[in-house]
Amino acid sequence: MGCEAQERKITAAGTVDVVLSSSSVMLNEVVAIGYGTMKKSDLTGSVTTVAADKLQKTPSPSLANALQGQAAGVTVNSLSGRPGASAEVRIRGVGTINNSAPIYVVDGVITDDIAFLSPSDIQSVEVLKDASATAIYGSRGANGVIIVTTKGGQARQRAQITFDAYVGVQTRWKKLDVMNAKDFAETYLKFNGTAKAREYYETNGFNAWLSRYMGVGSSSYYPTVYDADTNPTGFDYASQDTDWQDEVFRNALIQNYHLSIDGGNDQFTYSMSGSWFKQEGTIIGSDYSRFTGRLNTSYKATPWLKIGENISFMSSVAKNAYESGDNSESAGANILSAAFAMAPWDPARYPQGSVNKNGDDLSGQISAASNFKNVTNPLSMIEYSNPKVRNERWVGNVFADITPIPYLTWRSSYSFDYKITTDKSFSEAYEISSYDKREKNFLSSSMARTYNWNVDEILTYARTIGKHDFTAMAGFTVEEYNYYSIGNSGSTILNPVEKNWYLSQVTDDYGTPSDGVSRSRRQSWLGRLHYAYNNRYLATFNFRADGSSKFPENKWGYFPSFSLAWRISQENFMRDAQWLNDLKLRVGWGKVGNDNIGNDAFTLNMFNTGPTFVDYVLGVDQQLANGAAVLTWINNGGHWENTEQWSVGIDFGMFNNRLTGSVEGFIRNTNDMLMSVTAPAQTGNRYAATANVGKVRNKGIEISLEHRNSLTRDFEYSISGNVSFIDNKLTSLNGGSPIYTNYSNVQVVDQGHSLYYFWGYQYDGIYKTDEEVLEYLTGYTAEDTPFHAGDAKYRDVNGDGRIDDNDRVDLGSSIPWLNYGINLGAYWKNVDLQLFFQGVGGNKIYNQMRHRLESNGSTSVLSPMMAYAWCTDVQEAYANGEVDVTAPNPKNTVNYYASSRFLESGSYFRLKNLQIGYTLPKKWISKAGFQNCRFYFQGSNLFTCTKYKGFDPEVSSGVDYGNYPQSRTYIFGVNIVY
């Protein structure tokens, strides 16, 4: 926090008391922009600064997670609560079906992945949102730019040692309500059991039914079933009521330790740090640890030459059982999904004394699923699987700043991003049931290497002449992306101890080793001119030309932009407005390119492996000869996808800058979007080709406000918030093909709708009688109608008396139109309090987990409301209006069409973070050489207001199959500066 400058006239000797008033905006503050810096007061584009202390208040593995709710127009969705998982960041909406993520520029290094950086190393973050600000990055800036500056040493600063640490526990914050064992058994019988089976259950009890009708006692995979008369030592399933959510969730430890040393003199500055982060998952079988190291130095070799480097290293290890199935449709795709497929009468492990029909002791063994078929016990996923993903990454740059003449600086830099990922998974041989088993141990191992480099040559000339202030920049960049991977798998390691988990030890099913390579290049020319007259009239012009190897025919794209600003508060007619400290009007336009597509999108796709379909019989002896076939003909003329954006904004500061803010409106059009186009069948294309066909419009308003004040010398407070409203729509396809995704094609990309809108039937309740069906659906007869009493009533939108795809409608979007964040802070003497609230509104989530929990019980445990679902027992009473039912007939598949029945509001309001801290008084610690010592308690995700019925409203892709939920976290921490 800065302070307002004040002047006092000293007329005599003595003491002059000056009370400084805080200023939330320092107009001379320097912020990072593309390939340079600028005073905040001179900004003409839309740039939001996020203070580093705000990013460090939420315990998270990466900057992407910490940005949530901190900047207007920036949507952050924590896709998964899995340890080490990053977040999805979108700036001013989703502009393309291709990669819509922004780029990160860390100390000049351009990267798409920020996971290598510890949030504790960040000095400042600037978010470049409009095209006038991002156009300088050309092809990389279409989806916004986040510039990160890491901490560095200061000249004439003695060595300063900083230690930050926190330790805490993570817990689940929500549990889904499901039936207990008794209710589930009786409901299952009601839906699936014959009259004879139901009578047998009522007469002989649960154990007898399970043994006779489910075959538990007759299989050697299960212990014999308890019977008071015939088998008193058997296992009593009737006494079990396992909460499988309790079995797979746990309280998990999270910890972080960070140590840094900064300092410097007139010639040399340095900053080095190391940190270790470890996070256990709240779902068993998931853990993540990471070490990061950083070194930033600069050396002023001569008055005209400064050299330096910024180097970061990261090493991480992730262990996640069934990691690829975090949010998958399959019941056995992940730990959480598998837990709901286990019956509540099955124990996690068989207790002491459990014996099967052959006399084998099953004590302590993981239980076999007794009710559902083709089910894997979630504990066997953990116990017999050993996955490990290791990442090692070097990111950095080396640079030289040369000042050959006054006012001119030449920066030459080389940046690199080198990453090696090894993914090894050893799965043990085991047998729990006829399905839950693995006959041979199995090993898969792969390695991928990614290397990005770029060279920047930038000239900057900055000078002030009288009232004229101008900065001119011109430069050249070249970059290259290289990727290589190799992998194989096999089974049967004879001595399967960990030291032998290598492919050289595999003896069976050894696959064919496969490897792959990819490379792309870009070359760019860029320039910028910034001009200011009398600190009132400001103008910035950018131009960039990008050449990309991904477009063989049209390599070059040209991306201009401009922005203008008028500091109205500096005009003479505003001098009497003492309450107004700053008022600036901004307008900008720009065009930015996007080439985030595959390297071979415009390359002829051939298939030459056979002999199926492509080999030919030739010659006198009629021998097979190698052949080839075209899989996909390319579309000619492919060129850059481009994003054009207009924005108008106003920035203000009032009442000695105690109240500051900005309001901005924008229209962002993505033109010539690269999409798949289905060619006529006669062309022989196997896959849809790529073409420039789609257009997407995002338009919205962003508002940011901040108020800071000091009521007394000992008490200060701050209130800040941001809100953004965004409307997203695919305005045209121009020959492109609609894209259908997820369960039953429930999400669609099509003209006239939001990207990835939900497409399905409007659910209008439940039919009471067969006659009601035929009265509404006149296009069917009693013999051919798929709908009957107790079935779902879907709206006949086109009025043809039938239900088909023509009745599916736009049910809403997975993209929120409202995003907001609220920060509250208070400081009293040595005590500080911070609260951060965050939320979204207007988006929908398709709750596929409900689809399972509201079924007939043949693949999953059931929700309690299914006890009152329609069945033949209540058919007459329901028709007469004597009872109500909560769900349609679970035995008819028509009742599980993609519809609004399972579509829910994804809006939420969440207390993302609460932190209470205490700083020890200076007089207590100064004698020991400490500059600062602060202890704090912090809670994250303490409460969430939402109507969503799933685990967590933060869901990847908008369809929830059982997504890894966010955790509630309690931590204790310390900040020490020596």
Side-chain angles (χ1 to χ4, degrees):
M1 180 183 296
C3 296
E4 293 293 333
Q6 297 191 38
E7 295 183 2
R8 295 289 188 274
K9 184 176 181 179
I10 301 176
T11 56
T15 301
V16 177
D17 294 327
V18 179
V19 179
L20 295 178
S21 59
S22 62
S23 169
S24 59
V25 174
M26 300 294 290
L27 295 180
N28 289 322
E29 175 187 354
V30 175
V31 297
I33 57 174
Y35 301 97
T37 60
M38 183 179 292
K39 288 193 301 181
K40 194 169 186 177
S41 59
D42 289 344
L43 287 175
T44 57
S46 182
V47 180
T48 297
T49 299
V50 182
D53 59 338
K54 291 184 178 180
L55 300 174
Q56 295 162 11
K57 287 172 184 174
T58 300
S60 58
S62 71
L63 168 66
N65 301 80
L67 274 173
Q68 192 170 43
Q70 300 292 349
V74 180
T75 303
V76 180
N77 189 5
S78 298
L79 301 181
S80 172
R82 177 171 49 83
S86 188
E88 178 185 78
V89 180
R90 298 292 182 262
I91 297 177
R92 289 189 169 177
V94 180
T96 177
I97 63 168
N98 302 301
N99 189 343
S100 292
I103 60 167
Y104 300 88
V105 183
V106 183
D107 296 326
V109 181
I110 300 176
T111 179
D112 298 321
D113 180 9
I114 200 72
F116 69 92
L117 189 64
S118 169
S120 299
D121 284 327
I122 295 174
Q123 178 66 41
S124 65
V125 173
E126 274 76 42
V127 182
L128 280 56
K129 297 184 290 187
D130 68 348
S132 66
T134 63
I136 198 63
Y137 286 101
S139 64
R140 308 298 299 274
N143 299 304
V145 180
I146 299 175
I147 299 180
V148 180
T149 304
T150 61
K151 295 177 181 178
Q154 302 296 320
R156 301 180 184 179
Q157 173 189 341
R158 74 171 184 85
Q160 179 175 283
I161 302 173
T162 303
F163 177 71
D164 299 319
Y166 62 76
V167 178
V169 62
Q170 307 163 97
T171 66
R172 70 178 181 204
W173 66 273
K174 189 175 183 180
K175 184 177 177 180
L176 298 189
D177 193 12
V178 296
M179 287 183 177
N180 60 28
K182 180 178 182 297
D183 291 341
F184 177 57
E186 294 175 355
T187 305
Y188 177 86
L189 274 166
K190 182 170 62 173
F191 294 152
N192 306 292
T194 63
K196 187 176 180 179
R198 295 166 67 176
E199 181 182 357
Y200 188 86
Y201 174 87
E202 295 292 338
T203 304
N204 300 283
F206 176 81
N207 280 331
W209 165 76
L210 192 66
S211 178
R212 178 168 179 174
Y213 283 90
M214 306 305 291
V216 172
S218 62
S219 171
S220 61
Y221 293 120
Y222 307 93
T224 57
V225 181
Y226 168 83
D227 183 275
D229 297 325
T230 63
N231 190 21
T233 60
F235 179 65
D236 186 7
Y237 279 93
S239 66
Q240 297 297 308
D241 207 347
T242 304
D243 188 327
W244 281 98
Q245 293 179 77
D246 287 345
E247 295 297 329
V248 299
F249 278 102
R250 65 180 177 180
N251 292 334
L253 187 68
I254 183 172
Q255 51 189 317
N256 184 71
Y257 307 93
H258 180 268
L259 179 67
S260 65
I261 304 175
D262 310 307
N265 54 36
D266 288 337
Q267 285 187 297
F268 180 70
T269 63
Y270 62 90
S271 177
M272 61 187 75
S273 69
S275 66
W276 183 70
F277 174 83
K278 182 174 177 59
Q279 183 182 15
E280 297 176 347
T282 52
I283 295 179
I284 56 176
S286 55
D287 300 282
Y288 176 80
S289 63
R290 182 190 66 197
F291 169 78
T292 58
R294 179 183 58 88
L295 175 65
N296 293 355
T297 68
S298 66
Y299 177 65
K300 193 171 184 179
T302 69
W304 53 269
L305 174 63
K306 182 172 76 171
I307 57 177
E309 90 290 321
N310 306 282
I311 307 290
S312 294
F313 171 75
M314 182 271 286
S315 176
S316 68
V317 177
K319 297 180 179 180
N320 298 292
Y322 283 65
E323 177 183 5
S324 62
D326 271 357
N327 189 21
S328 173
E329 184 175 358
S330 171
N334 59 55
I335 304 299
L336 188 58
S337 184
F340 287 102
M342 294 295 293
W345 52 75
D346 286 326
R349 297 176 184 272
Y350 293 124
Q352 189 69 29
S354 299
V355 178
N356 68 8
K357 67 175 185 177
N358 300 327
D360 301 323
D361 187 1
L362 303 181
S363 301
Q365 179 177 298
I366 294 172
S367 67
S370 64
N371 183 57
F372 312 121
K373 306 304 179 186
N374 302 338
V375 169
T376 301
N377 189 312
L379 300 187
S380 68
M381 292 181 175
I382 308 255
E383 190 152 314
Y384 302 112
S385 297
N386 301 274
K388 181 184 289 186
V389 178
R390 182 183 295 275
N391 284 301
E392 293 184 355
R393 191 172 176 193
W394 289 91
V395 181
N397 73 343
V398 292
F399 66 88
D401 288 343
I402 302 171
T403 308
I405 59 174
Y407 311 114
L408 179 66
T409 301
W410 171 27
R411 166 162 285 211
S412 179
S413 67
Y414 172 79
S415 303
F416 60 89
D417 186 347
Y418 183 77
K419 179 180 179 181
I420 292 181
T421 299
T422 57
D423 188 345
K424 181 178 289 188
S425 179
F426 176 75
S427 302
E428 302 175 37
Y430 74 98
E431 186 170 2
I432 290 176
S433 73
S434 58
Y435 177 78
D436 194 358
K437 66 179 181 179
R438 187 178 296 109
E439 295 180 354
K440 304 175 182 179
N441 61 48
F442 183 81
L443 175 71
S444 65
S445 182
S446 64
M447 184 276 292
R449 182 189 65 205
T450 305
Y451 181 48
N452 295 283
W453 61 263
N454 66 283
V455 174
D456 298 335
E457 303 294 340
I458 306 296
L459 283 172
T460 304
Y461 186 82
R463 191 170 184 182
T464 300
I465 303 175
K467 296 181 179 181
H468 305 276
D469 188 349
F470 61 90
T471 302
M473 182 272 289
F476 168 80
T477 74
V478 60
E479 57 186 295
E480 182 174 289
Y481 164 85
N482 292 278
Y483 173 83
Y484 176 76
S485 65
I486 187 170
N488 203 357
S489 62
S491 64
T492 314
I493 296 176
L494 299 179
N495 183 21
V497 294
E498 186 172 359
K499 69 177 183 179
N500 290 334
W501 293 351
Y502 292 95
L503 291 172
S504 61
Q505 301 295 316
V506 168
T507 60
D508 288 339
D509 306 318
Y510 194 81
T512 302
S514 62
D515 61 354
V517 65
S518 177
R519 184 177 74 170
S520 62
R521 292 178 172 178
R522 295 186 185 93
Q523 179 179 312
S524 307
W525 297 90
L526 59 147
R528 176 174 58 223
L529 175 64
H530 174 75
Y531 172 75
Y533 174 73
N534 200 23
N535 202 27
R536 298 181 188 176
Y537 313 111
L538 314 169
T540 303
F541 302 92
N542 292 283
F543 183 81
R544 178 159 176 152
D546 279 322
S548 173
S549 62
K550 296 182 180 181
F551 303 103
E553 295 180 276
N554 299 286
K555 288 184 172 60
W556 288 92
Y558 304 97
F559 310 110
S561 73
F562 74 87
S563 53
L564 308 173
W566 176 25
R567 293 196 66 196
I568 304 173
S569 55
Q570 297 297 307
E571 297 290 352
N572 292 331
F573 61 80
M574 297 295 295
R575 290 186 179 276
D576 294 334
Q578 299 296 322
W579 54 273
L580 183 65
N581 304 99
D582 185 53
L583 182 63
K584 180 168 65 176
L585 178 66
R586 296 180 284 106
V587 61
W589 170 89
K591 182 182 290 187
V592 189
N594 185 13
D595 66 346
N596 278 323
I597 57 173
N599 291 336
D600 300 321
F602 293 98
T603 302
L604 190 67
N605 193 347
M606 301 289 291
F607 182 72
N608 60 1
T609 59
T612 304
F613 301 126
V614 297
D615 287 359
Y616 298 87
V617 179
L618 298 174
V620 176
D621 54 359
Q622 294 291 284
Q623 295 295 314
L624 278 176
N626 292 334
V630 174
L631 289 183
T632 304
W633 297 96
I634 62 172
N635 280 315
N636 294 323
H639 56 268
W640 288 82
E641 177 179 299
N642 70 83
T643 298
E644 184 178 7
Q645 186 173 170
W646 280 96
S647 61
V648 177
I650 187 166
D651 306 322
F652 58 87
M654 298 182 291
F655 312 117
N656 288 328
N657 281 323
R658 291 188 179 95
L659 177 64
T660 59
S662 66
V663 179
E664 186 162 359
F666 66 89
I667 298 176
R668 177 189 177 201
N669 292 313
T670 300
N671 303 306
D672 297 332
M673 186 169 64
L674 293 159
M675 293 182 64
S676 296
V677 177
T678 302
Q682 62 267 27
T683 65
N685 277 7
R686 182 175 179 182
Y687 305 111
T690 302
N692 298 94
V693 291
K695 292 186 178 182
V696 177
R697 167 169 288 191
N698 287 277
K699 57 183 179 180
I701 297 174
E702 301 167 357
I703 303 172
S704 299
L705 291 172
E706 182 174 23
H707 172 59
R708 292 177 179 265
N709 198 14
S710 300
L711 298 182
T712 68
R713 179 174 297 181
D714 294 329
F715 181 77
E716 298 178 356
Y717 68 89
S718 63
I719 303 172
S720 64
N722 65 81
V723 61
S724 58
F725 307 89
I726 298 177
D727 177 65
N728 172 275
K729 183 176 290 186
L730 177 65
T731 56
S732 71
L733 275 173
N734 295 335
S737 307
I739 298 173
Y740 301 88
T741 63
N742 286 311
Y743 164 82
S744 294
N745 294 330
V746 69
Q747 279 185 297
V748 183
V749 175
D750 200 2
Q751 181 173 317
H753 305 270
S754 169
L755 291 178
Y756 302 106
Y757 74 96
F758 292 104
W759 185 57
Y761 299 104
Q762 188 66 49
Y763 177 70
D764 284 342
I766 304 169
Y767 291 112
K768 290 188 175 183
T769 64
D770 288 346
E771 291 75 20
E772 183 184 352
V773 173
L774 297 176
E775 288 176 5
Y776 185 66
L777 300 179
T778 57
Y780 297 106
T781 66
E783 289 73 25
D784 68 1
T785 178
F787 297 92
H788 301 281
D791 287 337
K793 183 178 182 179
Y794 301 119
R795 189 173 302 171
D796 181 17
V797 175
N798 66 352
D800 66 355
R802 302 178 69 87
I803 299 298
D804 52 30
D805 278 355
N806 295 319
D807 297 306
R808 296 181 75 166
V809 296
D810 186 341
L811 298 175
S813 174
S814 60
I815 302 173
W817 58 263
L818 171 66
N819 293 270
Y820 58 92
I822 303 170
N823 280 281
L824 306 176
Y827 314 86
W828 179 72
K829 294 186 176 180
N830 291 38
V831 179
D832 60 270
L833 171 67
Q834 303 287 333
L835 292 96
F836 169 49
F837 301 89
Q838 179 264 333
V840 302
N843 60 310
K844 300 288 187 178
I845 300 173
Y846 195 83
N847 193 342
Q848 178 66 14
M849 179 60 76
R850 271 185 55 207
H851 189 283
R852 291 180 60 200
L853 299 182
E854 296 178 19
S855 65
N856 62 13
S858 61
T859 60
S860 169
V861 71
L862 295 176
S863 167
M865 56 91 69
M866 292 305 291
Y868 308 99
W870 189 96
C871 66
T872 54
D873 293 351
V874 300
Q875 180 172 357
E876 184 176 348
Y878 179 55
N880 295 331
E882 298 171 6
V883 299
D884 198 6
V885 297
T886 55
N889 179 10
K891 295 291 288 182
N892 194 342
T893 57
V894 300
N895 297 321
Y896 294 93
Y897 289 169
S899 72
S900 59
R901 174 185 170 191
F902 299 109
L903 198 65
E904 302 177 18
S905 170
S907 303
Y908 68 87
F909 173 70
R910 173 170 280 172
L911 176 55
K912 199 69 179 176
N913 183 66
L914 179 149
Q915 188 180 105
I916 302 174
Y918 178 75
T919 303
L920 297 180
K922 296 285 187 183
K923 61 182 179 181
W924 293 4
I925 61 175
S926 58
K927 292 182 180 180
F930 292 98
Q931 299 181 41
N932 189 70
C933 184
R934 176 177 176 267
F935 298 90
Y936 64 90
F937 166 79
Q938 183 170 295
S940 300
N941 297 327
L942 294 182
F943 75 80
T944 302
C945 297
T946 182
K947 293 182 179 179
Y948 183 60
K949 298 176 182 178
F951 276 109
D952 197 310
E954 293 189 57
V955 175
S956 62
S957 77
V959 179
D960 185 4
Y961 299 102
N963 198 42
Y964 201 131
Q966 303 293 304
S967 61
R968 180 171 290 163
T969 307
Y970 305 93
I971 68 171
F972 290 93
V974 60
N975 311 122
I976 299 174
V977 180
Y978 180 81

